[in-house]
Amino acid sequence: MWGLITGVVSYFPFAWYSHRYLDEHGMPPGFSRKLLVFIVASALSTGLGYAVSSLTSSPQHLQAQSQMQKKTMQLLGSTLHCVREPNNPQCQKNAAEAHQLLQQMLSTEMGPQRQG
């Protein structure tokens, strides 16, 4: 939660600083400049939010998140295989696992909040 808040709040100072930096280096105003400011500010605020989230999360939460991420990547690989061969019986099992993983993710996000 703190990572999300930090990421959103830090976007604006990063965007302002990036805009000033490009002003000082003579980049002319336009779409390319606005896009560059957006990309830089988004990347920096996302990185800061991720760092704060990592620092404020419990080791158990980080381990559970890592396991869920690995399982998600395995299911994505299986889904790609099912796109090529949709009649494969393994695809039905993978769809059920994907649904179960989605429910687990939603229950984790909607579950009781930690005191912090």
Side-chain angles (χ1 to χ4, degrees):
M1 182 65 161
W2 288 111
L4 176 66
I5 293 170
T6 304
V8 169
V9 170
S10 68
Y11 173 83
F12 301 104
F14 285 137
W16 179 81
Y17 183 76
S18 299
H19 182 72
R20 295 274 302 185
Y21 182 81
L22 293 175
D23 268 345
E24 292 172 3
H25 285 77
M27 185 171 189
F31 179 75
S32 298
R33 178 175 161 165
K34 288 180 184 180
L35 183 62
L36 183 61
V37 167
F38 171 74
I39 291 171
V40 167
S42 295
L44 291 174
S45 64
T46 300
L48 181 62
Y50 181 76
V52 167
S53 180
S54 294
L55 291 174
T56 59
S57 295
S58 67
Q60 295 84 9
H61 177 75
L62 292 175
Q63 184 179 15
Q65 184 178 12
S66 175
Q67 290 173 350
M68 198 176 297
Q69 193 174 31
K70 287 177 186 176
K71 188 160 183 129
T72 302
M73 293 305 291
Q74 289 172 349
L75 283 172
L76 285 174
S78 299
T79 302
L80 180 61
H81 179 72
C82 288
V83 168
R84 289 186 223 138
E85 296 179 28
N87 295 330
N88 190 341
Q90 181 68 26
C91 294
Q92 300 301 321
K93 181 181 173 193
N94 291 345
E97 285 182 25
H99 181 70
Q100 182 182 8
L101 183 62
L102 177 62
Q103 293 303 323
Q104 183 182 2
M105 286 178 179
L106 291 175
S107 68
T108 301
E109 290 298 319
M110 300 298 181
Q113 297 292 321
R114 287 190 308 125
Q115 297 294 326

